[in-house]
Amino acid sequence: MWLQGMPRERAAALRSALERHPSAVRGVEYPGWYFRRWHFLPDGYCSARSAALYDRLIRPLYWAGSEGRVVALLARWLERTGARRVLEVGPGPGRLLAALRARLPGIEFRAIELSPYFVAAATQRLGEGVVVHGDGRDLHRVGRVFDAVIAAHYVGHLPRHEQQAAIAALAEAARPGGTVVMVEHRWHRLRVPGELRPAARRAAGFSTLQFYRRFAGEGAGA
């Protein structure tokens, strides 16, 4: 994940700026590990400069030409399963969600993002009311039960000690019988809890789409 440490004084200044950002919601907390120079970005995800650099340089490198294939696979799955309400956790600047919405205008898409700079960028792309500011490990701010929950290049980039909580939150946001989809680099290995049952696995360049069904209980549809 290309992590570098950040001086304590700089982290404190960035935290203060995050809390004052117009897109920030009062009460959203930022864990200490968030203040890193992710992907060698000077301010991680915590400044307008770094958010712009991520969108222009890092994101295209991470997707490595696979985004079109990922969008097609996701759209096909959402259509086939009849999804009507879909959540993306950690959408960054909102490009993936915008591509899905262009293909599937009948679906209600929502998203939750911790960086208010990305919230602002995604809102500019998707419109007001689509992206909520909040922590993907705590989805109570979204307040809905979703047919599908998508996390693209999100869980595998969290510190290992946070990954299980993040996956559990994804599962909790999906309705029983709904889908959780994680798009990760092939070399990321995640431990998935028992309430998520493997449904499909698809390759797309350096990425892998891992589809899971949330266990619906005995006798329920899956």
Side-chain angles (χ1 to χ4, degrees), residues 2 15 25 27 45 49-52 60 65-66 79 92 123 134 138 143 147 152 160 175 177 181 193 197-198 215:
W2 308 351
R15 185 188 295 274
V25 173
Y45 303 140
R49 173 180 59 165
S50 281
S66 67
E79 283 185 308
T123 297
D138 179 6
D147 300 313
R160 287 193 178 276
R175 64 168 176 79
V181 189
R197 304 295 175 85
F215 182 53

Side-chain angles (χ1 to χ4, degrees), residues 59 63 67 70-71 74 88 94-100 150 152:
R59 190 179 185 281
W63 283 99
E67 187 169 10
V70 170
V71 170
L74 286 172
E88 184 180 7
R95 291 186 181 275
L96 179 62
L97 212 59
L100 287 171
I150 299 169

Side-chain angles (χ1 to χ4, degrees), residues 87-91 111-114 132-136 138-139 141-142:
L87 172 71
E88 184 180 7
V89 178
I112 184 167
E113 167 63 50
L114 184 55
V132 175
H133 179 223
D135 191 335
D138 179 6
L139 300 179
R141 292 181 183 277
V142 183

